[in-house]
Amino acid sequence: MIPINLIQSTAETLMNKAAIEIPEDYLTGLKQAAETEDGDLSSFVLQAMLENYEAAKEDRRAMCGDTGVPRWFVKLGNEAQVEGGMIALEAALRRATASATNGVPLRPNRVHPLWRTDHDNNVGIGAPEIEYGFEPDGAWIDLITVHKGGLFGTDYRMLFPSDGIQGIKRFYLDSLMAFGKRGLACQPAIIGIGLGGSKDICMTLGKRASVLRTVGSRNSDPRIAEMEDEFKELGNSIGMGAMGFVGKNMVIDCNIEVGYCHTGGMPMSVHAFCLSSRRAVARIHADGRVEHRTDPDWFTDYQRRETVEWEPQQEAAE
C-alpha cells in the first residue's frame, strides 16, 4: 500500500524540479545545437537560454516566466494499491499543484474559459489534467509532471491514405513554418507527431510523443525510427533556428507515435514541446522507496501493443 502523504510530497518535489531543472537529455541536445548554430541571433538566443538554465538552477527559481500549464501522467503497475484509492490520488496531485504554484512559485495560468475565474493555484475544472497508463507487473506508481505551454505550438489535419509520406512531410513543414513565422512556439523544441487514431487520440499521441519521449530515443518500429531521423533533419533544413530567427536548429528531436485509425483517413497532429522542456518523473514503490529520473519511459511494448489473444467464432455448421 502506497501512503497518500508520500504521493503528495513526491508530487510537490516533482513540480519544483520540473519548473527549475532542465532534463539532461534536452540540455545535451541544446548544447549540441549551440555548438553547430551559425545564425547570429539564433546563436545569441541559445547561449542566453543555457545561461538562464544555470541561473535558474543556482537560484532555485522557475526557468521561464511563463511556467505553462502543469499536468500529470500517472502509470501504475497492475498490483499497485494506493491509500484511499484513486480519488485520494487525484486529490493529492491537485493539492501538490496548488502548493507548488504558491511555493516555487508558478504563474497561476489556469482560468475559467468564460468567466476568467482564477483560484490563484492552477487548479480548476479539468485542471490539472491527469492521464493514466498501466503496466502488467509491479506494485509501483510512476508520477510524471509536465509543464507544457498551453496556448499554441499544436496543429491537426485530417490527411488521406493517398497523401502518403509526402503529405505527412508537407503538413509537418507547414506547421513548423507557422510555429516559427507567427511565434506560435518557442524553438528549438522537441517535436511530437501523432499519426492515426480518432481526432482526440491523434492529438493525445502527438502531445505524448513530444513530452514523454527523451531526446535521442527512437520508436521501436525501425521504419518509424527512420522517419524520426529524417524528420529531425528535415525540420532543421528550413532556415529557421531559435525563436524563429534565421538558423539551422529548430528541432532538437522529432518523435512519432502511431495508433490504428479508420481505413479512410490518416489523422495527423504536430506538437512542439517548448524550449524549457519541463518534465520530472519519480517511481514510488510499495515499500516507500522513491526513485527520481528524467525519462518517463511511457511508451513500453505494452503501451504499443497491437492486438489481443482471441479465438474467432466459428460459423455454426448448417
Side-chain angles (χ1 to χ4, degrees):
M1 183 77 69
I2 299 176
I4 200 66
N5 63 345
L6 180 58
I7 290 175
Q8 182 170 334
S9 62
T10 302
E12 291 175 357
T13 299
L14 291 175
M15 290 286 287
N16 185 287
K17 290 174 68 68
I20 295 172
E21 301 175 15
I22 288 290
E24 194 61 37
D25 59 283
Y26 178 75
L27 186 59
T28 298
L30 196 66
K31 289 178 178 178
Q32 291 174 348
E35 292 173 358
T36 60
E37 184 56 68
D38 52 18
D40 291 341
L41 288 176
S42 287
S43 294
F44 174 81
V45 170
L46 290 172
Q47 291 301 324
M49 288 165 57
L50 291 171
E51 293 171 7
N52 180 68
Y53 296 154
E54 287 300 316
K57 191 172 182 179
E58 181 177 341
D59 296 345
R60 304 309 297 173
R61 293 188 296 174
M63 65 183 76
C64 180
D66 183 351
T67 52
V69 285
R71 65 191 302 131
W72 292 95
F73 297 89
V74 180
K75 185 184 279 190
L76 300 94
N78 195 46
E79 285 80 46
Q81 292 183 307
V82 176
E83 178 189 7
M86 302 307 292
I87 298 299
L89 183 147
E90 291 203 341
L93 296 183
R94 288 168 72 88
R95 286 193 299 269
T97 301
S99 177
T101 300
N102 177 257
V104 175
L106 306 177
R107 193 165 78 181
N109 282 328
R110 300 282 197 166
V111 300
H112 191 287
L114 296 174
W115 324 132
R116 316 312 287 179
T117 306
D118 177 7
H119 298 300
D120 204 30
N121 61 7
N122 278 313
V123 177
I125 301 171
E129 297 88 346
I130 304 174
E131 301 181 32
Y132 295 94
F134 304 94
E135 292 291 331
D137 301 307
W140 45 262
I141 293 178
D142 279 353
L143 297 182
I144 307 165
T145 188
V146 170
H147 301 179
K148 189 181 186 299
L151 291 174
F152 308 108
T154 298
D155 208 349
Y156 169 86
R157 185 176 294 176
M158 174 57 79
L159 302 177
F160 295 96
S162 58
D163 290 317
I165 300 297
Q166 291 305 312
I168 294 173
K169 291 180 180 179
R170 186 179 305 111
F171 178 47
Y172 171 64
L173 292 178
D174 286 348
S175 299
L176 293 189
M177 292 295 290
F179 292 170
K181 283 187 173 182
R182 299 172 59 197
L184 301 181
C186 296
Q187 303 91 13
I190 302 172
I191 302 297
I193 295 176
L195 291 171
S198 53
K199 182 174 183 178
D200 58 330
I201 296 301
C202 183
M203 295 292 286
T204 296
L205 285 169
K207 177 164 284 188
R208 289 181 178 181
S210 69
V211 303
L212 298 179
R213 293 264 308 273
T214 56
V215 174
S217 68
R218 284 295 170 260
N219 194 292
S220 56
D221 185 323
R223 293 167 297 180
I224 296 177
E226 289 180 6
M227 288 177 61
E228 291 174 332
D229 288 333
E230 181 182 2
F231 277 46
K232 176 184 176 181
E233 183 177 351
L234 184 64
N236 286 328
S237 69
I238 62 177
M240 286 188 183
M243 301 304 287
F245 292 120
V246 173
K248 60 182 183 182
N249 287 283
M250 189 179 196
V251 178
I252 293 296
D253 211 350
C254 181
N255 302 323
I256 302 173
E257 293 296 332
V258 303
Y260 277 36
C261 60
H262 188 285
T263 185
M266 188 168 62
M268 176 176 175
S269 67
V270 181
H271 303 253
F273 198 4
C274 68
L275 55 79
S276 297
S277 292
R278 295 165 292 213
R279 59 171 145 80
V281 189
R283 173 166 292 185
I284 307 175
H285 295 271
D287 61 7
R289 288 179 296 124
V290 179
E291 298 174 337
H292 289 269
R293 63 182 197 267
T294 57
D295 183 356
D297 192 26
W298 185 270
F299 289 101
T300 60
D301 290 341
Y302 182 75
Q303 299 301 317
R304 291 180 174 134
R305 62 196 186 279
E306 286 207 35
T307 186
V308 68
E309 295 181 7
W310 65 298
E311 291 291 338
Q313 291 185 353
Q314 299 295 324
E315 293 185 8
E318 295 182 0

